[in-house]
Amino acid sequence: MPAYDTAAAAPEASPVKILIAGGFGVGKTTLVEAISEIDPLRTEERLTSAGVGVDDLDGIESKTATTVAMDFGRITLTDAGVVLYLFGTPGQERFWFMWDDLLNGALGAIVLVDTRRLDRSFAAVDFFENRGLPFIVGANCFNGEQPYTTEEIKAALHLRDPDTPVLLLDARSREDVRGCLLSLLDRLITQARVTAPV
């Protein structure tokens, strides 16, 4: 694993704001924790009886806490010359009003999906497609398993842009998350070159 030399790279590195979005319980907090070089800021609260009938825990019955504002982490990618500021969005519908505020200044996003509950991912995909923010899709492989191919996931999500990358990852794996972030940066660079004035 390459070293992340924050002291040497920070003064020269360009800051890039990235959103980590997706439905309730897809692994956004886990992803930020896996890659952040600092102790991530988490705004998690315990799930209580007040959420009964409001929060759909079908398929994630063991979940005991939820993000109510955002997660925040930072990672310096020395080889790419950037410092990524990662903002994890809340997944519950009642907190979606915060997504537009978090969108301010963001250059791209990772939409994290759980193929066991893929219908919970459409709102995040629609959000970024409607606002024109470049994104990639990361299909979280819970328990190290993923029964679907990236092409099947892409088709099921009905992505408007057929070139939107779909990657398989384990949100607990630093290397998997780093690979997704680098894929997103490649997409941002490619789009910037296409839209740059001649």
Side-chain angles (χ1 to χ4, degrees), residues 136-151:
I136 67 166
V137 174
N140 199 358
C141 300
F142 287 88
N143 303 316
E145 300 174 358
Q146 183 53 257
Y148 304 102
T149 68
T150 55
E151 289 305 315

Side-chain angles (χ1 to χ4, degrees), residues 5 9-10 15 24 26 42 49 54 80 82 85 89 112 123 143 166 182 195:
D5 186 355
F24 181 43
V26 297
R42 293 179 295 162
S49 58
V54 177
V82 296
Y85 296 98
T89 66
L112 198 58
N143 303 316
V166 175
L182 289 172
T195 58

Side-chain angles (χ1 to χ4, degrees), residues 17-169:
K17 180 179 179 181
I18 300 295
L19 298 186
I20 311 299
F24 181 43
V26 297
K28 299 178 297 294
T29 299
T30 300
L31 185 150
V32 173
E33 287 177 344
I35 196 70
S36 182
E37 66 195 11
I38 61 171
D39 287 335
L41 167 70
R42 293 179 295 162
T43 58
E44 286 198 319
E45 293 295 335
R46 289 188 55 76
L47 291 171
T48 67
S49 58
V52 174
V54 177
D55 299 326
D56 183 1
L57 294 175
D58 185 36
I60 51 171
E61 291 83 4
S62 62
K63 188 167 177 61
T64 60
T66 186
T67 301
V68 296
M70 67 175 180
D71 298 311
F72 173 77
R74 183 189 75 209
I75 179 69
T76 303
L77 298 175
T78 306
D79 49 349
V82 296
V83 177
L84 301 181
Y85 296 98
L86 308 175
F87 290 80
T89 66
Q92 293 163 282
E93 188 172 346
R94 65 179 183 265
F95 298 122
W96 287 354
F97 69 92
M98 299 184 63
W99 286 29
D100 275 313
D101 288 336
L102 291 172
L103 181 69
N104 188 28
L107 294 185
I110 294 176
V111 174
L112 198 58
V113 303
D114 177 355
T115 57
R116 301 170 304 177
R117 301 174 300 122
L118 199 61
D119 59 316
R120 317 281 168 71
S121 306
F122 294 126
V125 169
D126 289 345
F127 179 85
F128 294 114
E129 286 184 337
N130 290 337
R131 285 157 181 82
L133 190 76
F135 67 95
I136 67 166
V137 174
N140 199 358
C141 300
F142 287 88
N143 303 316
E145 300 174 358
Q146 183 53 257
Y148 304 102
T149 68
T150 55
E151 289 305 315
E152 289 171 325
I153 296 167
K154 182 180 284 194
L157 287 172
H158 303 288
L159 299 169
R160 289 183 200 162
D161 181 353
D163 293 328
T164 300
V166 175
L167 299 127
L168 304 180
L169 80 151

